[in-house]
Amino acid sequence: MTVPFTAGQSDPTVQPVPTSVVEQVDAADHTLSNPHRAVISLGSNLGNRLETLQGAVDALEDTPGLRVKAVSPVYETEPWGVGPGSQPAYFNAVVLVKTTLPPASLLERAQAVEEAFHRVRDERWGPRTIDVDIVAYADVVSDDPALTLPHPRAHERAFVLAPWHDVDPEASLTGRGSVAELLDALTREGVEPRADLELRLPE
């Protein structure tokens, strides 16, 4: 069962980081001087999908040195890379953030959020309570296998591009071009907007 994050609760996703980083992030938490823009994709197809996505958004906002600036509409999508009907449908959304965390620290935080919601990595493209993927970080291009930037398959995924386009119509994916044009080149079959559902932007 997913336990939502509430004010005053201890955040189970916080992990120890070096003191120098803590000091830097704590200072940035008040000013966010020279922040970088990052795009984060969320997906869930197990349990209470909407509640889990909201919990992930709230956990990201609770991260020192990170502010959630926009949350996309929710989409319901067929699972990627598996046979039709073999898994429950996903709820997907995209979150735009500004952060002073370097990419590696942002990845650690994303993975900590997944762990807090009991993400299991038994199989590739298997069902999961939550996916928290860094799609893009500023204009950084990296082929580091631990964190490839931009996300190497984002340009092929309507369930990433459609909500991203909704929340930032002028966005571009570094090295690939306009998100709008990339989306136009893909089919939206199996990627349906859920106007009846909404994620809250943290206050």
Side-chain angles (χ1 to χ4, degrees):
M1 185 177 76
T2 302
V3 179
F5 290 88
T6 58
Q9 263 189 327
S10 175
D11 184 346
T13 66
V14 174
Q15 295 183 341
V17 293
T19 301
S20 60
V21 174
V22 171
E23 292 172 351
Q24 177 185 353
V25 170
D26 283 347
D29 192 36
H30 300 291
T31 63
L32 279 188
S33 58
N34 301 316
H36 295 288
R37 186 181 180 93
V39 181
I40 297 175
S41 174
L42 304 177
S44 173
N45 76 334
L46 292 177
N48 187 325
R49 297 168 292 173
L50 188 66
E51 181 180 288
T52 300
L53 292 186
Q54 185 65 58
V57 172
D58 294 344
L60 288 170
E61 174 66 16
D62 286 343
T63 304
L66 185 151
R67 288 291 171 264
V68 174
K69 292 300 182 181
V71 180
S72 79
V74 176
Y75 280 74
E76 188 165 19
T77 68
E78 292 300 317
W80 174 272
V82 298
S86 62
Q87 291 182 23
Y90 275 84
F91 283 174
N92 289 100
V94 160
V95 180
L96 303 184
V97 307
K98 288 189 175 181
T99 184
T100 54
L101 296 175
S105 296
L106 185 59
L107 175 63
E108 288 178 2
R109 180 58 172 172
Q111 292 174 340
V113 172
E114 291 180 338
E115 290 172 7
F117 286 95
H118 311 296
R119 161 71 189 272
V120 176
R121 300 176 182 274
D122 286 340
E123 58 179 303
R124 190 181 191 193
W125 295 322
R128 65 283 310 265
T129 52
I130 188 69
D131 240 346
V132 182
D133 287 333
I134 302 172
V135 177
Y137 182 101
D139 294 324
V140 172
V141 176
S142 170
D143 59 2
D144 184 340
L147 178 59
T148 303
L149 291 170
H151 191 289
R153 291 176 295 280
H155 65 288
E156 303 171 343
R157 295 180 168 179
F159 65 82
V160 172
L161 298 176
W164 186 4
H165 180 262
D166 286 343
V167 80
D168 187 2
E170 304 302 318
S172 62
L173 184 63
T174 301
R176 296 289 183 178
S178 160
V179 168
E181 292 178 359
L182 292 170
L183 185 57
D184 284 343
L186 300 176
T187 175
R188 295 202 192 195
E189 183 178 355
V191 179
E192 301 295 334
R194 287 292 303 267
D196 58 317
L197 303 176
E198 184 179 8
L199 295 171
R200 302 181 310 276
L201 187 65
E203 296 180 358

